[in-house]
Amino acid sequence: HTVYVATTRDNRIHAYDTRKNTIEVIYDARAHADPPLTCVDNVTASHSGDLYVCEDNGDDELDLGLITPDHEIARFLTATGPGHRNSELAGAVFNPAGSRLYLASQRYLNAGAIFEIRGPFRRQRSHRPA
């Protein structure tokens, strides 16, 4: 039972373990010479334990990053085009089956839009090395 929190101002993602009552920084942009994620904002976890991270970069290209349970970081998708100008991705959430990911571009075409991304997504939780 883990709660994930992104703190945009310091560009970190924290994991709060509700059973152990501990908190751990699992991503810190300052730890990277060329940070793979910038302006971290909304986060959601998949069935596999992958974290999907909306980046609040506000450009014509909006990014959704991915952090695996083993702390590997990758770009999952980039929303591009003038419709996304001055917008940001937000509200990423999976359906209960974990087969569809929904997220919003808050000001897409000055009105906002919700997008559906269909899987399959990884279903098995990967295990951290001991």
Side-chain angles (χ1 to χ4, degrees):
H1 297 138
T2 305
V3 176
Y4 297 97
V5 177
T7 52
T8 303
R9 180 165 277 177
D10 64 0
N11 214 1
R12 291 179 169 179
I13 299 175
H14 311 265
Y16 172 59
D17 185 320
T18 60
R19 290 183 180 158
K20 296 177 184 174
N21 199 28
T22 59
I23 192 162
E24 168 190 12
V25 174
I26 61 168
Y27 177 77
D28 185 348
R30 293 178 298 187
H32 303 272
D34 185 18
L37 301 174
T38 58
C39 304
V40 299
D41 201 352
N42 297 221
V43 297
T44 194
S46 69
H47 286 283
S48 68
D50 292 330
L51 288 181
Y52 290 78
V53 182
C54 296
E55 294 184 78
D56 188 7
N57 49 15
D59 295 329
D60 288 351
E61 294 184 355
L62 307 177
D63 296 314
L64 184 67
L66 175 75
I67 302 174
T68 70
D70 296 324
H71 299 273
E72 294 178 41
I73 303 167
R75 179 83 38 235
F76 181 74
L77 68 79
T78 300
T80 62
H84 294 287
R85 184 168 291 128
N86 297 318
S87 189
E88 62 183 81
L89 295 181
V93 65
F94 282 91
N95 70 333
S99 60
R100 296 177 186 198
L101 173 65
Y102 297 92
L103 71 154
S105 178
Q106 286 184 332
R107 292 173 289 283
Y108 182 75
L109 296 176
N110 296 316
I114 296 173
F115 297 91
E116 176 185 75
I117 301 159
R118 296 179 185 194
F121 297 93
R122 291 192 297 187
R123 305 280 303 159
Q124 298 297 319
R125 180 177 293 276
S126 62
H127 299 285
R128 292 185 184 184

